[in-house]
Amino acid sequence: MGGLRLTDDQRLSWLRLMRSESIGPRSFRSLLSRYGSADAALAALPEIARRRGRPLRIATLAEVEREMASARRLGVRFL
């Protein structure tokens, strides 16, 4: 996904998906490919968890907003 430009909202959605329980690099890319966007993947996670028969903790918007604010204060740039 090199060269992809994300809006701030998309960046937050990507971070929420990445920070959700049991979502590693492979499942992140698979979910993006399957659902087309992080928002759509996030919307699908509760049903995916239900089908698997186990709860899944999805990172909240507030959590990732705090993480992004902390990163900005430290001068971090997300690539």
Side-chain angles (χ1 to χ4, degrees):
M1 298 197 182
L4 181 63
R5 298 258 183 218
L6 300 175
T7 66
D8 287 341
D9 286 342
Q10 288 171 318
R11 203 171 282 112
L12 287 171
S13 294
W14 275 42
L15 190 56
R16 275 189 74 203
L17 186 57
M18 283 184 244
R19 296 295 187 252
S20 293
E21 182 179 67
S22 300
I23 305 298
R26 268 193 227 154
S27 51
F28 175 81
R29 295 207 31 101
S30 175
L31 288 165
L32 281 183
S33 292
R34 181 171 182 185
Y35 294 100
S37 73
D39 281 333
L42 286 164
L45 284 181
E47 176 60 20
I48 293 168
R50 188 194 64 72
R51 282 189 306 223
R52 291 184 178 174
R54 60 182 180 164
L56 174 72
R57 187 187 164 312
I58 299 170
T60 68
L61 183 56
E63 289 169 336
V64 298
E65 285 175 334
R66 281 192 301 274
E67 184 174 343
M68 291 290 280
S70 293
R72 265 189 237 102
R73 283 192 300 277
L74 295 170
V76 171
R77 283 186 48 216
F78 289 88
L79 303 176

